Amino acid sequence: MEERNTTLGEFIIENQESFQYSTGELSRIINSIRLAAKVVNYKVNKAGLVDIVGAAGEQNIQGEDQQKLDVFANDTFIQTLINREIVCGIASEENDDFITVAGGDKSHNNKYVVLMDPLDGSSNIDVNVSVGTIFSVFRRITPVGTPVQLEDFLQPGVNQVAAGYVIYGTSTMIVYTTGHGVNGFTLNPAIGTFYLSHPNMQFSPDGKIYSINEGNYIHFPQGVKNYLKYCQMEEGDRPYTSRYIGSLVSDFHRNMIKGGIYIYPTSSKAPNGKLRLLYECNPMAFLAEQAGGKASDGYNRIMEIKPTELHQRVPFFCGSKNMVAKAEEFMKNV
């Protein structure tokens, strides 16, 4: 197929006109993420050979131990975005507060903010399991020419102009959307180029995989427990298969390709769930919906939730639309 020879750079240029605001900035943001992803990919792939795995001895704002590679990935993505002078602000899982980017001329004239989880699933680094980067892009809502404000980041997911993830796995991929479908690009490490390998990615309406940490079963709400019993019942096309990696990017990626649902609910241990709305759930929800899937907090559409804080957590049900709808049914019928 000829389209498999399209590079990410060519794809960005060819599709630039379809962006809502076609000034080239959004294209440059995707290009910056591509560059940073290659640098992080290089470090991830040799992590077993050098002293970059393991904890860095500090905790991030979430109270989670920062892995050394987390810190490296965070610094790499932030510096790449700042150096290209294309964003007015950055928010990261690893930073307490958002970063204001004035630009080289200190004009605060850039129009986009980026939110990210620089290394999702990082507790898996030491055991050679896939990790990833998640990103979300919004157009600022405060006036251009002024420093970025918290309200520029606290926008509902429906305002996203782009979102995606990088998965550092057996092959490294960038999967992203700008609101015109989802496309996946695989890195050819020999020449350092991403090629279009998965055009127009889609969730099947139904799937046979459910992904949840069943070790926390006793702590789950009754609606989730009832849905899991339904998944395990021998009836129709069930029982479904349980597959859980514990790395959101990896679990989402597999389920999008094979069909399935990912659930990280509230629990007595995590009353608001564990995943962050702004840089984990919103971007994945945007991707899911663009790929024909569905994303919910169990009751409401994820992308319509109005955020109130930068590191806000929400329960997350995401994947094949009929599976998510069925899980919502169980949540509402308790």
Side-chain angles (χ1 to χ4, degrees), residues 206-220:
D206 297 285
K208 295 203 68 175
I209 296 170
Y210 67 98
S211 307
I212 188 169
N213 184 353
E214 290 185 79
N216 289 328
Y217 182 89
I218 194 168
H219 303 286
F220 290 155

Side-chain angles (χ1 to χ4, degrees), residues 275-289:
L275 299 178
R276 267 66 60 154
L277 172 61
L278 288 172
Y279 42 81
E280 291 177 321
C281 301
N282 265 341
M284 290 312 203
F286 191 17
L287 287 161
E289 290 189 9

Side-chain angles (χ1 to χ4, degrees), residues 210 226-234 238-241 261 263 323 330:
Y210 67 98
N226 292 348
Y227 177 69
L228 292 181
K229 285 175 190 160
Y230 167 85
C231 291
Q232 294 158 358
M233 203 178 288
E234 291 206 32
R238 289 169 285 132
Y240 297 149
T241 302
I261 184 171
I263 304 174
M323 296 183 84
F330 278 97

Side-chain angles (χ1 to χ4, degrees), residues 154-168:
L154 299 185
Q155 299 188 55
V158 288
N159 291 359
Q160 289 174 103
V161 293
Y165 59 83
V166 186
I167 183 165
Y168 311 101

Side-chain angles (χ1 to χ4, degrees), residues 13 17 35 43 45 67 83 101 112-113 149 179-180 223 229 283-284 294 315:
I13 292 164
E17 293 304 314
L35 175 63
K43 290 287 188 184
N45 282 342
Q67 304 288 321
N83 292 347
V101 184
Y112 294 97
V113 297
Q149 302 294 326
H180 300 276
K229 285 175 190 160
M284 290 312 203
K294 186 174 167 68

